Each structure stands twice: as structure tokens, then as C-alpha cells.
Amino acid sequence: MFRALVLSACLIGIVLGLAMTAMQAVGVTPILLAAEQYEVSHGPQAVAGAHHDHGHAGQAGHHHDETAWAPADGTERLFYTAVSNILAGIGFAAILLVVMNQLHERGRLMMTAGRGLMMGGLCYLVVFVAPSLGLPPEIPGAAATALESRQLWWLATVILAAAGLGLLILARGWQRGLGGLLLLAPYAWVPAHEGPLFSHPDPQAVAALTELHHSFIWASGLTNLAFWLLAGLLSVIALQRLTGIAQGHEEARD
């Protein structure tokens, strides 16, 4: 069963990664490229100090450094984006498969398409929505606090959101109240940047970047929603097949 789950996670991850790359190429990358034009025109210091999120599922963001290597625009950039998305897809699919399989074995989850979409939606709330409420996805040129503190906050938020939702859904009594507290806990302190989001000297550029920023949040949210719904659906299909095969083997032994 373990090998079957690993293989399923790899296959699902490839599909998810390619689908995410295609969606990003249409809805996310054009916004980033447009924002980078303002970032570059603002000078080397803007490039060196920019932090932004490319809208990958579960990605906390990354740092641009003027001396760091970066893939060239076009095919090379698309290739590395696809590889990154596939690796992320495999990791998330593996976690989702294990969780769903454990819930199914305990009689807490039926293997239906609707339940798969529900699990994907819950993962979307945990991995994207909960962190975005404190630190929305950012475009190039946006001011931000230190990357390390933002990554640690993102990780803590995801863990607490997963635990909180789990208690709200699966627990009873006072433990549900604890789940609500866990959901709210990360927002007691958010490593948010103080001051204007964009420091470009041209007011028209700031207005354009602000509009691009809002568009980027929506585009990232929709692509991540599609990613997780597809992940949940593919995971339940894979588990339907695996549990059916396992039952067939048990009947054959009998």
C-alpha cells in the first residue's frame, strides 16, 4: 500500500504541477512580468530588496538578490516553474493521500468525488487562505519584512490552521473551542511591513503597481483554488482504485 501511495502521489503531482504551470502562465505570470518592469525601472536597490510570491500553492515567497542566479525569461523560466510546481504537487499530494486514507480507514471519510473536493477545499483554506489573511501574495517591488520571519509565520499559520480545522470538524465539546483559538492564534502577531506597500517615486507607477497587486491576489487565489480542488479530486480517484484493489486481494485470499 505504501508503494502504491507513493506512486500515486508522484503521478498526481505531475498532473497538478503541469496544470498549475499552465494556469500561472495564463493568469499569474503576465502580472508578474508587468510588475517587474516597474521594479527594474526603479533601480538596482529595488531588485535587491524585493520579496514576492509567485502564487505557487503553499509557497511563502522568495527573495531576489542582485547577485543571485535567476532563470531567463521564456522557456527556461517556464521549465523551472514547472519543475517547482511538480515537486510541490508531489509533496502536497502525498500528504493529502495519507490523511484521506487514514480518515477513510477510521470511517470518517467516504471515497466520493464530493468528499474529495471538500478535502481539497479545506487544504486550500489551510495552505493559502489562512496565510493570505495576514500576508497576502506580493508582486515584485512590494515592501516586506525579512523573508525568514515571514516564512516562519507562514509555516506556523499552516500548522495551526490545520490543527484548528481538524478539531472543529472531528472533535466534540470543548475541543472545538480550542480549534477556534488555534485558528485565530497566528493573527496575534503578523510580520507585516510598516509604511507604504510601494515606494516607487512615480505616483502613476504606484497606482499601476497597486492595481497589479490586487489582480495578483485574485489570480493567485483562483489558481490555488483550482490546484487544491483538482488535488482532492485526483486523490479520491486514486484511493478509490487502491482500496478497490486491496479489497480484491483480500477476497482472493479468502
Side-chain angles (χ1 to χ4, degrees):
M1 186 66 172
F2 175 76
R3 292 181 59 185
L5 287 174
V6 171
L7 178 59
S8 297
C10 291
L11 294 175
I12 293 173
I14 292 173
V15 175
L16 291 174
L18 294 177
M20 187 66 164
T21 302
M23 291 185 291
Q24 287 176 339
V26 174
V28 175
T29 302
I31 299 174
L32 290 174
L33 294 177
E36 284 177 356
Q37 299 304 312
Y38 294 99
E39 181 186 33
V40 173
S41 66
H42 187 44
Q45 292 181 350
V47 178
H51 303 258
H52 62 274
D53 189 325
H54 279 202
H56 295 200
Q59 183 174 332
H62 64 270
H63 174 69
H64 278 286
D65 189 283
E66 58 184 349
T67 60
W69 175 89
D73 291 339
T75 305
E76 184 176 353
R77 184 171 185 167
L78 183 64
F79 171 76
Y80 283 102
T81 298
V83 171
S84 174
N85 286 336
I86 289 173
L87 293 176
I90 292 173
F92 285 127
I95 296 173
L96 191 55
L97 284 169
V98 170
V99 171
M100 291 176 66
N101 185 56
Q102 289 297 312
L103 290 174
H104 175 67
E105 290 183 351
R106 287 166 171 74
R108 305 300 295 268
L109 182 68
M110 296 177 61
M111 290 300 171
T112 63
R115 296 293 184 176
L117 292 173
M118 181 196 72
M119 289 296 297
L122 291 174
C123 289
Y124 171 69
L125 293 176
V126 168
V127 178
F128 182 83
V129 174
S132 295
L133 291 176
L135 293 175
E138 297 170 350
I139 60 173
T145 56
L147 178 62
E148 291 77 10
S149 61
R150 296 166 66 231
Q151 288 179 328
L152 287 174
W153 184 88
W154 181 91
L155 180 61
T157 301
V158 169
I159 293 174
L160 290 173
L165 276 179
L167 288 175
L168 284 176
I169 295 172
L170 300 175
R172 295 180 179 179
W174 64 269
Q175 292 180 335
R176 285 191 170 181
L178 177 60
L181 292 176
L182 290 177
L183 286 173
L184 296 175
Y187 308 106
W189 177 80
V190 180
H193 172 76
E194 295 182 2
L197 184 59
F198 301 105
S199 57
H200 199 287
D202 185 356
Q204 293 183 349
V206 173
L209 285 168
T210 301
E211 184 177 351
L212 288 170
H213 178 64
H214 293 157
S215 299
F216 183 64
I217 292 174
W218 279 103
S220 299
L222 291 175
T223 53
N224 276 271
L225 176 60
F227 174 94
W228 282 110
L229 291 179
L230 181 60
L233 186 59
L234 292 177
S235 295
V236 81
I237 291 173
L239 288 172
Q240 283 176 342
R241 182 175 179 275
L242 292 177
T243 53
I245 292 174
Q247 290 176 357
H249 287 167
E250 292 179 1
E251 292 176 356
R253 292 194 195 99
D254 295 339

